[in-house]
Amino acid sequence: MDLNNINTDDNPDVILIGAGVMSATLGMLLHELQPDLKMELYERLDVAAAESSDAWNNAGTGHSAFCELNYTPERPDGTIDISKAVKIAESFEVSKQFWSYLIEKNQVKLPDFFINSIPHISFVWGDANVQFLRRRYEALTQCNLFKGMQYSENPLQLKEWMPLVMEGRTNTDKVAATRMEIGTDVNFGALTRRMLHRLETNGIKQYFGHEVRKIRRTSTGYWRLTVKDLRTGDKRKVFSKFVFIGAGGGSLPLLLKSDIPEAEGFGGFPVSGQWLRCTNPEIIEKHKAKVYGKASVGSPPMSVPHLDSRFINGKKELLFGPYAGFSTKFLKKGSYLDLARSIRPDNLRPMISAGIRNISLTEYLINQVRQSPEDRLHALREYYPNASPDDWKLEIAGQRVQVIKKGPKGGGVLEFGTEMVSAADGSLAALLGASPGASTAVSIMLKLIQRCFPAQVASEEWQQKLKKMIPSYGQSLSKDAELLQRVRGWTSETLGLPRIGANYKQDAGQQVA
């Protein structure tokens, strides 16, 4: 997309749809790269980051694949595939670099509770799972990004790491855990709102309570958006040469309305969630980790169970879940007709095909919806044996839309990650999907910029700016141990996190007796 020809009228150069972390990140990147760009943002709700980016609607885990077992699948021969884990870990390092740059340059004044240090732990039980975790640990610690990971099968050591998980555990199953001291908890809602506030002070117009109803390509190459003011009911048309659709679960319907050929065959499968939230301050204080386990067979990645210390608006919280559910809404504050309205002739076959191929997922969701309070308590007690129902309250979590796209021979494939879809000329892009999402937002938006603005990215001016914002830009942190150490030292100091190597060995993984 060529942005050198700045519009001569009042139309924006860039339109951002959705006031979440993705739009905020893209807006900040573009403003730093080309400050004279005219941008406008449209959000259907009255506040920013109220859907997927809100602290209560996502796990808040700084996803770096330290503890998420679904990012390291076991191959048929028993070896562990760490490729996805390496990619995600490196992406989170990129995010931390950009946040550190914004803070250093006083572009964003982040609250103290934006990012906090919290150990990331993987916990399993049973011989087969223990063997898997040991092989995972051995594979990951060969990579620079995971140096310093600790592994133990010693119940006394595990009790020190996670007392709630081990107290009252009387079964004779073998247990094991890995631990990364440098894990984080991130309030993506707070981060998003601060970035959008900065964009507003830089002259970026933001329209809340405004819903984009239509997107059409004009003969002149502009995109024409029909926007409705939900307060007054008034509609107006806005034109722009570039549009980013970053509306979470609402991205798919808008992408389909654009009628770009690249969107053909895409569909979505909504998955809702719930948390058990601890109400007992004494229990909350005793747990100081994010403890992730293995997902049930057939469950989506967002349903990986975890007993999770959180820091939300300056207050420590403790959550367990999520418990999956099903709703035809694409957004938490959406319409029950969202799923039906997304079905089109070109995506009907892929959606049916994906449904047939994922019967286990359907069965899992049905069972989750039918769960009683006793069932949810039973699941909690697998991670916290002494849990009392009086200390926990059920809360509604966020809504996610898993991507369905055309597969071989016109069938459908259900994707559990994020998917970027863009027009051939780079004039429109949309982000679909869920986890790891917010944690890798900077890497995702850098990829979008490279795809949609190739000429500018290739210029010396933009290259210099990108390397200033992301010191590791164009280099591999997983392969360059010295660069990784320098970058982590800088970001830790800037973000107020513990210095690397302060409390554990940086040069090798640790197996604890």
Side-chain angles (χ1 to χ4, degrees), residues 60-74:
T61 302
H63 282 296
S64 34
F66 293 158
C67 58
E68 305 92 331
L69 301 179
N70 54 303
Y71 296 151
T72 51
E74 185 175 2

Side-chain angles (χ1 to χ4, degrees), residues 239-251:
F239 296 83
S240 180
K241 284 192 173 182
F242 177 76
V243 175
F244 171 64
I245 305 174
S251 291

Side-chain angles (χ1 to χ4, degrees), residues 117-354:
S117 175
I118 192 78
H120 285 195
I121 295 176
S122 300
F123 173 68
V124 298
W125 59 88
D127 288 340
N129 289 334
V130 169
Q131 291 176 25
F132 161 78
L133 190 64
R134 188 185 304 120
R135 292 195 300 272
R136 177 184 185 270
Y137 159 77
E138 292 169 351
L140 285 176
T141 51
Q142 298 303 307
C143 175
N144 294 319
L145 290 158
F146 300 92
K147 299 295 186 183
M149 178 177 282
Q150 297 173 284
Y151 174 89
S152 181
E153 298 174 16
N154 185 339
L156 293 178
Q157 177 65 72
L158 301 190
K159 186 173 182 179
E160 183 180 327
W161 288 350
M162 43 184 184
L164 292 187
V165 175
M166 297 303 294
E167 288 174 5
R169 193 168 292 278
T170 58
N171 63 58
T172 57
D173 280 345
K174 207 171 180 183
V175 292
T178 58
R179 182 176 187 265
M180 279 292 278
E181 184 74 21
I182 60 172
T184 58
D185 177 77
V186 184
N187 186 330
F188 289 106
L191 169 65
T192 299
R193 286 185 282 272
R194 291 302 176 97
M195 288 196 291
L196 291 178
H197 175 73
R198 181 63 183 184
L199 286 172
E200 185 177 33
T201 62
N202 289 333
I204 308 305
K205 297 179 181 179
Q206 300 175 24
Y207 298 90
F208 290 90
H210 284 68
E211 185 174 34
V212 176
R213 292 294 182 90
K214 295 180 181 179
I215 303 179
R216 287 287 185 272
R217 191 69 178 270
T218 69
S219 58
T220 60
Y222 280 78
W223 287 98
R224 182 181 69 238
L225 280 64
T226 302
V227 181
K228 181 177 181 179
D229 185 332
L230 299 179
R231 300 182 185 91
T232 65
D234 294 339
K235 292 182 180 180
R236 65 188 178 95
K237 299 188 187 305
V238 186
F239 296 83
S240 180
K241 284 192 173 182
F242 177 76
V243 175
F244 171 64
I245 305 174
S251 291
L252 177 63
L254 289 171
L255 174 64
L256 297 178
K257 288 179 180 180
S258 73
D259 283 334
I260 61 172
E262 293 77 10
E264 185 177 338
F266 275 91
F269 185 82
V271 178
S272 59
Q274 296 174 317
W275 301 103
L276 282 179
R277 175 185 177 187
C278 186
T279 57
N280 187 328
E282 293 183 8
I283 300 298
I284 295 171
E285 190 55 36
K286 288 180 69 175
H287 187 71
K288 299 176 181 179
K290 289 180 177 288
V291 178
Y292 275 59
K294 291 194 76 174
S296 303
V297 176
S299 65
M302 66 169 288
S303 297
V304 173
H306 42 101
L307 187 63
D308 195 347
S309 290
R310 298 292 313 277
F311 299 90
I312 300 177
N313 300 330
K315 182 182 178 183
K316 188 177 179 184
E317 303 281 357
L318 179 60
L319 307 178
F320 178 77
Y323 300 93
F326 177 75
S327 168
T328 54
K329 292 182 178 182
F330 278 5
L331 291 164
K332 189 173 180 179
K333 299 178 182 179
S335 166
Y336 286 108
L337 297 176
D338 286 343
L339 178 58
R341 289 169 177 166
S342 73
I343 298 174
R344 297 156 55 111
D346 62 85
N347 66 17
L348 181 59
R349 182 182 175 187
M351 291 180 71
I352 293 174
S353 173

